Amino acid sequence: MRCLLCRRDGIPVTAELCPNPDCGVYLPSLMRDVLPMGTLLRGGSYRIDYPLGKGGFGITYRGIDVNLDMLVAIKEFYPQEHAIRNGKTGGLSVAAPQRNAFARGIERFKREGKILARLNHHNVVRVLGLFEERNTAYLVMELISGKTLRDELDAQKDKYLPPEQVQQIMNQLVEALAAVHEKEIYHLDLKPDNVLLLPDGKVVLVDFGAAKQSFSSNSTRAGTPTYAAPEVIAGGDIGTYSDIFELGMMLHEMLTGELPPPGLSRLMNDSWKPTGLEEPWLSQVTAAINVQQKARPQDVRLWWGSKTTHSSKTSGGMAGSAGRISLLVELKSDVGVDYTELERLLAAEKWYAADKETGRVMLKVARQEERGYLDYDDIKKFPCNDLRTIDQLWVQYSSGRFGFSVQKRILESVGGKPGKDDRMVYEQFGDRNGWRVKGNWISYWSGLVTFSKSAPVGHLPAGFSGMEVVKECEYVFGGFEFGIAHALLSRPDL
């Protein structure tokens, strides 16, 4: 089983004390109010194994889908401020004064479960089922194997991550939150423990704080006080800005290894200011963790896309460094290609010339300058270091707006999958990054390609996907010709 305090796994069910020497908690005290191992739910369709996590509004269990013989996660709606467990039946009992609030909460829990089930976003945990019994409701979700962001931070000597890794994690978290915010769902419990990092680099957001906003405004809400926005803890109005606050707290921790003071404690006297961060990290963190919710950004994509995120921190959290540094892209090439001209053009924001230079260097890397285009085999064999160098240059000098990895995130966010051509997915991708205008794919020479920083996120580079680099895409971005671009954006090393 798992210790719900330190989250150590593999503990014998007979153990009374957590074997972690840094914990040592009395385990039965943590298991109070949880369903016992072996409990059957939904007519025997699911069996409880052991609890994975416990919060103020629910308990998440590892369970087994008996019919499919498959491990699942089962979340039980259990607002402990409003209900108690019946020791004999295992059901929840709610006192009369709390019944209206409990009823609102459970309806919100079910509604959010249905929305999340239909969302099918690759950075959001999938909901597989929903049912009611024991006077409450249960969500059945995929059980994802992977370490948490907390595990990753704790494994670092100074408890912070390299800026490149922070960028990759944040890109995916922002896309996940943007997707759920569009459905008017707020997570409200963003913290490293609720972010899973899979071996392939994928980030999955779990344990949504369902139904928290459904209780009365004078009720103190559950949450994690060290990360939560003041309004989440105090029971005020909540919104997208509440999640942005928590994301900003996590961002500061990932960059520095330290958490800012809790938001609620800063509400009356906000004299604390973030230190040890360069721009634009500093501005992004400062905007996100403003204790006044109306002063915070209201749109997570606009907040994240408004500035570059490729600067680092000071020596206070950067081992072996002195003073402020910036993340500089190392111009690596496996075949001896010089990227200084591409860097110069991008630094000068000469986007059209940089796009043309991108095509030129890609042909040179693939040794296809004479042929003048790339094919699937060229894409498959394209050297990893060269691909990353080109991508990182675009990401850095565009303030995180352009680059292959940015395009890949967009493609994945609309359902794109490696090796699977799907015209509808391509069209959604083109609508998102501006390669389609009013339902029509644009050509490279139409004058509709926007070579400026005001272009939609993921709009550039454009030349790589055809036009001059890839013969099959010579006149349009879309249709079956998009396959070469899809092959490139499916590369696992982006």
Side-chain angles (χ1 to χ4, degrees), residues 271-454:
S271 59
W272 181 87
K273 302 296 180 187
T275 59
L277 294 174
E278 273 198 348
E279 292 293 355
W281 296 114
L282 178 61
S283 295
Q284 286 193 300
V285 169
T286 301
I289 64 174
N290 192 313
V291 293
Q292 303 299 327
Q293 66 261 46
K294 299 304 180 184
R296 283 179 231 139
Q298 309 290 301
D299 185 292
V300 68
R301 276 203 188 107
L302 291 180
W303 165 71
W304 183 240
S306 63
K307 299 176 182 68
T308 179
T309 47
H310 275 74
S311 296
S312 185
K313 55 196 289 289
T314 66
S315 57
M318 186 68 90
S321 65
R324 294 180 180 269
I325 68 169
S326 293
L327 172 66
L328 300 177
V329 175
E330 187 176 355
L331 304 184
K332 289 184 179 180
S333 175
D334 292 330
V335 293
V337 169
D338 185 359
Y339 290 105
T340 55
E341 176 62 9
L342 177 59
E343 183 174 34
R344 184 189 69 79
L345 293 169
L346 287 168
E349 299 191 354
K350 295 182 178 180
W351 305 112
Y352 176 72
D355 199 57
K356 303 290 282 187
E357 177 67 6
T358 298
R360 187 191 71 80
V361 295
M362 290 185 72
L363 289 172
K364 187 171 183 178
V365 168
R367 295 185 173 89
Q368 298 296 353
E369 294 169 286
E370 183 176 349
R371 189 177 71 182
Y373 66 90
L374 305 179
D375 59 21
Y376 283 95
D377 196 49
D378 296 322
I379 295 297
K380 182 178 179 181
K381 296 178 179 178
F382 203 89
C384 174
N385 279 326
D386 292 83
L387 184 61
R388 286 178 174 169
T389 295
I390 296 169
D391 175 53
Q392 289 173 15
L393 284 171
W394 274 96
V395 172
Q396 173 167 327
Y397 289 106
S398 68
S399 303
R401 295 185 64 81
F402 306 141
F404 301 142
S405 58
V406 177
Q407 293 167 341
K408 180 178 181 177
R409 297 288 90 78
I410 296 173
L411 183 62
E412 291 176 337
S413 73
V414 297
K417 297 179 180 178
K420 183 179 179 181
D421 291 341
D422 188 323
R423 189 181 185 89
M424 292 184 65
V425 167
Y426 298 158
E427 290 175 352
Q428 291 180 60
F429 172 80
D431 291 337
R432 282 279 302 276
N433 79 342
W435 287 4
R436 275 172 37 108
V437 176
K438 297 181 179 179
N440 296 310
W441 293 95
I442 62 177
S443 82
Y444 195 66
W445 302 280
S446 65
L448 295 176
V449 179
T450 305
F451 293 104
S452 76
K453 216 169 183 178
S454 64

Side-chain angles (χ1 to χ4, degrees), residues 254-266:
M254 285 191 282
L255 290 168
T256 68
E258 299 176 356
L259 261 177
L264 198 60
S265 70
R266 293 193 286 118

Side-chain angles (χ1 to χ4, degrees), residues 81-82 89 123 134 151 235-236 247 260 300 332 351 421 436 483:
E81 206 177 309
H82 299 79
T89 66
N123 294 124
R134 299 171 187 261
D151 296 330
L247 198 57
V300 68
K332 289 184 179 180
W351 305 112
D421 291 341
R436 275 172 37 108

Side-chain angles (χ1 to χ4, degrees), residues 439-485:
N440 296 310
W441 293 95
I442 62 177
S443 82
Y444 195 66
W445 302 280
S446 65
L448 295 176
V449 179
T450 305
F451 293 104
S452 76
K453 216 169 183 178
S454 64
V457 173
H459 194 65
L460 300 173
F464 88 91
S465 62
M467 284 65 75
E468 296 187 348
V469 178
V470 183
K471 187 176 181 180
E472 287 83 352
C473 287
E474 190 169 2
Y475 294 105
V476 295
F477 288 105
F480 294 105
E481 296 86 354
F482 192 81
I484 297 293

Side-chain angles (χ1 to χ4, degrees), residues 136-205:
T136 189
Y138 297 84
L139 287 180
V140 182
M141 301 169 288
E142 61 177 333
L143 183 66
I144 302 173
S145 298
K147 59 185 175 182
T148 67
L149 177 56
R150 170 57 59 211
D151 296 330
E152 183 77 355
L153 288 168
D154 288 346
Q156 310 306 311
K157 179 181 178 182
D158 295 307
K159 310 301 181 185
Y160 69 88
L161 303 178
E164 308 99 309
Q165 188 177 5
V166 174
Q167 174 84 12
Q168 293 168 359
I169 292 170
M170 287 291 296
N171 284 345
Q172 297 183 65
L173 288 179
V174 166
E175 285 303 312
L177 286 174
V180 298
H181 287 173
E182 288 174 0
K183 304 296 184 181
E184 297 185 356
I185 296 177
Y186 315 121
H187 190 286
L188 303 181
D189 198 13
L190 292 168
K191 56 184 178 181
D193 305 81
N194 289 337
V195 177
L196 293 181
L197 307 179
L198 277 58
D200 62 359
K202 182 176 167 183
V203 176
V204 180
L205 190 56

